């Protein structure tokens, strides 16, 4: 199965489209954000180490994330199923570490997909996001508000919450960090002839169809 990297600013839909692709084609979804959030939630030593950095919207160290990815890509199931890396690499040193790691384990990257979305829309997607802590439903104050502001439609009386790194100041920081540290990766993959650009503005079903056509799958 082909191996993919999903690139793009936070809020561009990498996680959502990645889940759709993996569900349809069986690739293994490797999201460094999800791995790190699970460590945070478990209260592990690693989780405590990265908490402050993640909550402020900064990046955790290249060495630490590279180690997590190495551990996951080194497992046997990857070669047959193919991987989809979501949120990694995020810096040029991480991309170089990935190239070295893939060479070491005998895998290769087939495509790096860049999801492009306008800054203002990204801001609204993230800063407007609200979650129901009881049922996991996701709302957006700009695009999909609940019937009663601040409360879940399905769970009466349950107040919606904002992910810590979705507060407006952190969102601005995450977007700036993307421009500074992650956008240079576009050139890294373009030079290798692996880059495919997809407009991430439309609703997810539409973007997924464009993605499938772009990947020829
Ligand atoms: P995400 O869900 O991909 O937006 O990731 C959430 C947070 O986890 C980021 O804001 C970073 O603090 C951290 N993180 C995730 N992936 C990486 C990475 N490849 N390098 C450094 N930090 C990361």
């Amino acid at each position: 199965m082909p191996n993919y990297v999903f690139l793009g600013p936070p809020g561009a839909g990498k996680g959502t489209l990645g889940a759709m692709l993996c569900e349809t084609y069986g690739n293994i979804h490797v999201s460094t954000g999800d791995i790190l959030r699970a460590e945070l939630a478990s209260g592990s030593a690693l989780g405590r180490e990265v908490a402050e950095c993640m909550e402020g919207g900064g990046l955790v160290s290249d060495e630490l994330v590279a180690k997590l990815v190495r551990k996951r890509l080194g497992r046997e199931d990857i070669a047959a199923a193919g991987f989809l890396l979501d949120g990694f690499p995020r810096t040029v040193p991480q991309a170089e570490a990935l190239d070295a790691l893939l060479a070491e384990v005998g895998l290769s990257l087939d495509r790096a997909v860049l999801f492009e979305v306008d800054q203002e829309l990204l801001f609204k997607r993230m800063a407007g996001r609200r979650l129901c802590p009881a049922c996991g439903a996701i709302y957006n104050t700009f695009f999909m508000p609940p019937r009663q502001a601040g409360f879940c439609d399905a769970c009466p009386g349950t107040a919606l919450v904002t992910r810590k790194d979705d507060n407006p100041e952190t969102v601005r920081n995450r977007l700036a960090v993307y421009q500074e540290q992650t956008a240079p990766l576009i050139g890294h993959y373009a030079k290798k002839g692996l880059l495919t650009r997809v407009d991430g503005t439309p609703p997810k079903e539409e973007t997924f169809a464009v993605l499938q056509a772009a990947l020829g799958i």
Side-chain angles (χ1 to χ4, degrees):
M1 283 296 282
N3 296 313
Y4 305 112
V5 159
F6 276 11
L7 294 172
K14 301 185 299 292
T16 305
L17 293 157
M20 289 167 84
L21 188 139
C22 291
E23 190 160 308
T24 309
Y25 299 101
N27 291 64
I28 294 173
H29 195 172
V30 182
S31 156
T32 43
D34 284 350
I35 297 173
L36 291 166
R37 271 186 292 278
E39 292 287 343
L40 254 182
S42 77
S44 68
L46 190 125
R48 289 196 298 277
E49 190 184 325
V50 299
E52 200 179 318
C53 190
M54 285 181 72
E55 284 163 12
L59 295 184
V60 310
S61 81
D62 289 336
E63 291 70 27
L64 196 150
V65 280
K67 213 162 49 180
L68 292 174
V69 171
R70 165 184 294 271
K71 197 167 147 198
R72 187 61 191 91
L73 294 192
R75 279 180 24 199
E76 270 179 11
D77 53 353
I78 293 281
F83 63 74
L84 188 159
L85 278 170
D86 158 10
F88 180 94
R90 242 175 165 104
T91 64
V92 172
Q94 289 182 19
E96 288 165 353
L98 177 63
D99 291 343
L101 166 63
L102 293 179
E104 200 180 294
V105 295
L107 295 171
S108 60
L109 183 65
D110 294 281
R111 282 275 119 203
V113 182
L114 172 66
F115 294 96
E116 298 180 292
V117 180
D118 168 84
Q119 291 271 328
E120 192 181 330
L121 177 56
L122 290 172
F123 181 82
K124 287 183 171 171
R125 279 187 183 172
M126 289 187 285
R129 184 156 51 192
R130 299 290 179 274
L131 315 171
C132 172
C135 72
I138 301 175
Y139 298 87
N140 186 290
T141 55
F142 298 102
F143 308 120
M144 219 184 41
R147 284 193 294 271
Q148 187 192 350
F151 291 91
C152 182
D153 291 348
C155 310
T158 304
L160 300 177
V161 298
T162 306
R163 220 170 85 175
K164 268 195 184 140
D165 59 355
D166 280 342
N167 77 62
E169 195 190 323
T170 307
V171 167
R172 268 185 220 106
N173 192 30
R174 289 167 71 196
L175 292 172
V177 166
Y178 173 79
Q179 284 306 334
E180 264 166 41
Q181 306 205 44
T182 310
L185 290 187
I186 299 168
H188 180 89
Y189 289 111
K191 250 190 260 157
K192 289 175 176 281
L194 292 177
L195 190 73
T196 295
R197 292 171 188 266
V198 169
D199 178 9
T201 312
K204 61 184 178 188
E205 292 75 14
E206 209 176 302
T207 304
F208 189 58
V210 172
L211 171 67
Q212 287 174 299
L215 295 175
I217 55 178

